[in-house]
Amino acid sequence: MGFGRNPHVAKAEAAEQKALAARDALAREQGWREAARQWERAADRETEDKRRQPYTDKAEAARAAADGEPVDEAN
C-alpha cells in the first residue's frame, strides 16, 4: 500500500473474489456483504465526488449480488 492510497479498495476487491469463489450460498452472500461494506468505507475516505461515485455504485452492486441478483463480473 502506497502513501495516499485507499486501503479499503484492495479489501473490497479481495472480498469480491472470495464471494465469487465461495462454494455455498451463505458464504457467497457474506462475501458480497463484506465487499459492500468495504466499498462504502472506501467511498467514505474519498473527498472528491468523481472518485466516490464508482465506489458507491460498486457497494450497491455488491449488495444486490448478496440479495441474489446476477453479478456483472466485467466491473
Side-chain angles (χ1 to χ4, degrees):
M1 177 175 69
F3 179 74
R5 298 190 80 196
N6 193 331
H8 300 292
V9 172
K11 292 176 184 179
E13 290 171 345
E16 285 181 348
Q17 290 301 315
K18 191 174 181 180
L20 290 170
R23 294 183 184 205
D24 65 358
L26 181 60
R28 191 170 19 263
E29 178 184 350
Q30 290 174 342
W32 282 118
R33 294 209 188 278
E34 177 61 20
R37 192 170 19 260
Q38 292 298 331
W39 283 122
E40 282 183 346
R41 292 182 75 185
D44 288 344
R45 288 183 61 115
E46 294 299 333
T47 56
E48 299 176 21
D49 286 337
K50 174 175 78 171
R51 292 180 61 166
R52 184 181 305 131
Q53 191 58 46
Y55 298 156
T56 303
D57 293 343
K58 288 182 180 188
E60 291 173 8
R63 280 213 169 71
D67 292 336
E69 296 178 18
V71 178
D72 179 16
E73 295 182 25
N75 291 344

